[in-house]
Amino acid sequence: MTPNDTAALRSYVEFDEVEKSFATKGGKVAAIEALSLTVDEGDFLAIVGPSGCGKSTLLLALAGLTTPTNGTVSLKGRTIAGPVTEAGVVFQNAELLPWRTALENVLLQAEVRKLPKGSLTERARQLLADVGLAGFEDHYPDELSGGMQQRVSLCRALLHDPSILLMDEPFGALDAITRDQVQMDLQNLWLKSRRTVMFITHSIEEAVFLADRVIVLSPRPATIAADIRVDLPRPRHVADRGSAEFTAYVNEIRDEFGKLGIFSDRDPVSR
Amino acid sequence: MAATKDKITRPRGVAPRPQRLLGHGLVALRGVWPAIALICVMLAAWQAISSAGLVEQYVLPAPWDIAKAMVSDAGLFWTASIPTLTAIIVGFVISILIALPIAIGMVYSPLLQRAIYPLLVLSQVVPKVALAPLFIIWFGFGTAPKVFMVVLIAFFPLVVDAVVGFQAARPESLMLVRSMGASRWQAFWKVRFPWALPSIFAGAKVAITLAVVGAVVAEFVGADNGLGVVITQARGNLDTVTVFAGIGFLSIIGLALFAIVSVLERVLVRGSRSGRSFEAAGSL
């Protein structure tokens, strides 16, 4: 075995010199530049970065929903060349289909994959109950709050027991209190199975609260500015956010953003 | 205060589905009574004007006489309705069968869209009524020219609204089913088509009323049977009562067809797409 092969086996997810550029009227704009990153199996990885820095593009590349301009993304040593069906994907908006009830939305996953619906209906009900939605199975999305909708979306992403969960700013549109609750739900679900998660967010607190490892991306074109391991005991609680360790991690990441010039003092008038 | 109390006894979103359907029906009934009342007032005024002899009978016959004619000559009108109704329904179904594939083609192929769209607009810019004599030259006085006219007039709103509908699917929803390994076929039937349904029905409601217009116009220009023919012949005899009775039957046909499309919409379009929730309707 060459060293290259063993490396491929060890890293569950591997971004190798990934570049992505978009054609615009003003010419090519590089969104991501020569980004390399490996993720271990079972790791909860959070990616934080300023808005528009290409975080979502990274996630879509791993989901096989967009192709990098250069470089490769691989999962379990296989280069991704099409939609990665063993993943579960959650978008910023819940993306529930309005003509389906909560349960039917979760079961969409089974229908498209042509999985046995009978046994998965039980699993779907169990997942909904796990996130506190027992009794809401037959409700249409417009009868559910934003937080409830996003929980349904999470259940849908987990129905087929994916080996990797890809979440693109899933809680970005929720209010602060709902957000805290849904973060707890996600952590509890994750602790049950410890599957690999790639979680995109623009909230530093959210990243530190949820993740084992936080990647800080620079503004466009995105490169990795910092790679920080979060060693906080689990399960983590909302109250832990006031702890010195938690605050230290948050400040460390905030300092990284400061170094990138993101929090530079701007004259409020000239803005 | 009692009314306010009634409204809040049903907890938000907890009512089971059959009750919701019933609720919709009751709301619909409550919704139409002002219109019915206004129509009654207008009919009464009309009857009063006619009874007072203010206008000649051949100019504006009394609504009561028209109603009597509609009942006593119902057999004749019914026989005349069948060819008209046939042309409307056949034309409408053909319009859907033509419009949906064209719309799907336009959504999936920008080239097709650029090729077809100007033709579509052109087909509507040409005064369709002016084409009716041509259809008679081509297809004779039977059902064919009527159906052709109905299709020409009804398919445009269907295509336009269907295109809007098929483009309404959220890109993220489509990405989501792709990540589940969905084929194009599945993505269409599970996401695109249901997203398009409300829009398709909006087009269908416009199209079904236009279809009635198309069939009657074709019959006015020249046909061997149908309600339009009855009306034209009665006009020739200055039999205004029969003209009005014919118009009455056409209105009933139009209303009934519109109602059928609306009921189909209510059955097929599930869940709310644009805040059209039953809570909003219930608070009327």
Side-chain angles (χ1 to χ4, degrees):
Chain A
M1 227 178 224
T2 66
N4 226 356
D5 285 338
T6 44
L9 282 177
R10 222 177 321 134
S11 55
Y12 194 68
V13 173
E14 184 171 8
F15 289 84
D16 185 23
E17 297 284 317
V18 169
E19 279 179 39
K20 181 80 183 177
S21 53
F22 296 98
T24 63
K25 278 179 190 164
K28 269 194 168 185
V29 172
I32 301 169
E33 204 167 70
L35 189 145
S36 293
L37 170 70
T38 59
V39 185
D40 296 332
E41 182 167 10
D43 239 12
F44 197 126
L45 180 86
I47 297 182
V48 288
S51 47
C53 77
K55 306 185 291 275
S56 298
T57 311
L58 274 185
L59 180 127
L60 291 179
L62 179 51
L65 295 171
T66 185
T67 330
T69 315
N70 277 310
T72 56
V73 184
S74 52
L75 178 67
K76 296 184 194 167
R78 287 192 310 270
T79 302
I80 290 164
V84 176
T85 54
E86 62 191 283
V89 186
V90 180
F91 288 104
Q92 175 165 8
N93 293 301
E95 302 304 337
L96 301 182
L97 301 177
W99 57 90
R100 286 170 168 260
T101 62
L103 183 67
E104 288 168 349
N105 263 293
V106 176
L107 286 172
L108 176 72
Q109 189 78 257
E111 282 172 34
V112 172
R113 292 169 189 276
K114 302 200 168 72
L115 299 170
K117 237 175 144 180
S119 54
L120 281 175
T121 305
E122 271 322 294
R123 180 171 159 78
R125 286 182 185 280
Q126 185 56 51
L127 282 166
L128 286 169
D130 286 348
V131 294
L133 285 178
F136 289 92
E137 294 89 347
D138 295 331
H139 281 54
Y140 284 95
D142 69 305
E143 299 164 349
L144 302 173
S145 69
M148 289 162 127
Q149 291 184 18
Q150 199 53 280
R151 284 184 212 140
V152 174
S153 163
L154 180 60
C155 294
R156 177 178 60 194
L158 291 172
L159 184 74
H160 56 300
D161 201 14
S163 60
I164 183 164
L165 190 57
L166 305 175
M167 308 181 81
D168 188 6
E169 297 190 26
F171 309 143
L174 304 180
D175 64 85
I177 295 169
T178 310
R179 199 169 175 153
D180 286 351
Q181 180 58 52
V182 184
Q183 285 170 7
M184 289 298 293
D185 287 339
L186 173 62
Q187 180 188 234
N188 293 338
L189 276 175
W190 180 78
L191 286 174
K192 280 188 187 175
S193 58
R194 299 251 179 189
R195 72 192 88 224
T196 314
V197 180
M198 182 159 155
F199 187 99
I200 310 283
T201 178
H202 52 242
S203 160
I204 297 169
E205 283 80 5
E206 184 168 80
V208 173
F209 182 73
L210 286 170
D212 297 315
R213 185 179 165 202
V214 178
I215 302 285
V216 179
L217 289 188
S218 69
R220 186 173 275 210
T223 50
I224 294 175
D227 185 346
I228 295 156
R229 191 148 275 284
V230 180
D231 280 318
L232 292 172
R234 289 189 190 266
R236 299 170 188 165
H237 300 284
V238 176
D240 299 340
R241 293 177 182 212
S243 72
E245 297 100 310
F246 190 91
T247 320
Y249 279 118
V250 170
N251 287 338
E252 184 183 350
I253 294 168
R254 195 162 282 145
D255 286 346
E256 291 295 338
F257 278 121
K259 279 187 231 159
L260 292 168
I262 298 203
F263 301 126
S264 59
D265 292 319
R266 266 181 268 191
D267 181 354
V269 180
S270 66
R271 275 182 77 188
Chain B
M1 280 317 278
T4 329
K5 214 179 145 198
D6 276 343
K7 260 185 271 170
I8 52 172
T9 45
R10 193 166 52 185
R12 188 190 147 80
V14 180
R17 203 128 311 108
Q19 263 185 12
R20 290 183 52 181
L21 268 180
L22 186 68
H24 273 301
L26 289 176
V27 167
L29 254 177
R30 260 191 288 162
V32 293
W33 79 258
I36 290 173
L38 183 61
I39 289 171
C40 289
V41 168
M42 286 165 73
L43 283 175
W46 178 2
Q47 180 71 39
I49 291 169
S50 291
S51 305
L54 291 176
V55 266
E56 293 291 342
Q57 179 80 132
Y58 72 88
V59 176
L60 189 66
W64 182 244
D65 295 334
I66 297 167
K68 275 196 290 190
M70 283 174 76
V71 174
S72 61
D73 294 339
L76 177 120
F77 283 115
W78 181 238
T79 316
S81 295
I82 288 172
T84 310
L85 201 55
T86 309
I88 294 169
I89 292 172
V90 172
F92 180 69
V93 170
I94 292 177
S95 301
I96 291 176
L97 293 180
I98 293 176
L100 293 189
I102 288 180
I104 293 166
M106 283 170 73
V107 168
Y108 280 98
S109 159
L111 180 72
L112 214 57
Q113 174 147 17
R114 269 175 288 156
I116 292 177
Y117 197 74
L119 272 181
L120 278 180
V121 174
L122 195 69
S123 78
Q124 297 307 300
V125 175
V126 174
K128 288 171 286 291
V129 181
L131 294 176
L134 264 184
F135 297 163
I136 290 168
I137 295 172
W138 292 343
F139 307 115
F141 290 91
T143 309
K146 297 187 207 174
V147 170
F148 212 83
M149 184 54 103
V150 169
V151 172
L152 189 66
I153 208 167
F155 91 107
F156 186 68
L158 281 169
V159 172
V160 171
D161 280 331
V163 167
V164 170
F166 287 126
Q167 284 170 340
R170 292 174 55 81
E172 289 86 354
S173 292
L174 291 166
M175 280 206 265
L176 191 86
V177 290
R178 272 175 67 205
S179 78
M180 298 173 181
S183 60
R184 284 194 139 203
W185 183 253
Q186 281 180 313
F188 179 80
W189 285 110
K190 301 265 180 218
V191 179
R192 261 198 208 277
F193 186 71
W195 264 120
L197 265 184
S199 203
I200 291 174
F201 270 106
K205 283 175 169 176
V206 176
I208 194 71
T209 51
L210 288 179
V212 178
V213 175
V216 175
V217 163
E219 287 175 353
F220 280 174
V221 174
D224 44 21
N225 52 22
L227 277 175
V229 175
V230 170
I231 291 173
T232 330
Q233 283 170 354
R235 185 201 59 196
N237 302 331
L238 272 187
D239 179 4
T240 319
V241 172
T242 306
V243 172
F244 268 105
I247 293 170
F249 266 84
L250 279 173
S251 309
I252 291 170
I253 288 176
L255 267 177
L257 292 173
F258 187 85
I260 291 171
V261 175
S262 301
V263 167
L264 266 179
E265 177 186 30
R266 197 153 282 177
V267 171
L268 292 178
V269 178
R270 294 169 62 204
S272 167
R273 312 285 156 93
S274 51
R276 211 164 33 97
S277 71
F278 95 100
E279 283 85 6
S283 67
L284 277 174

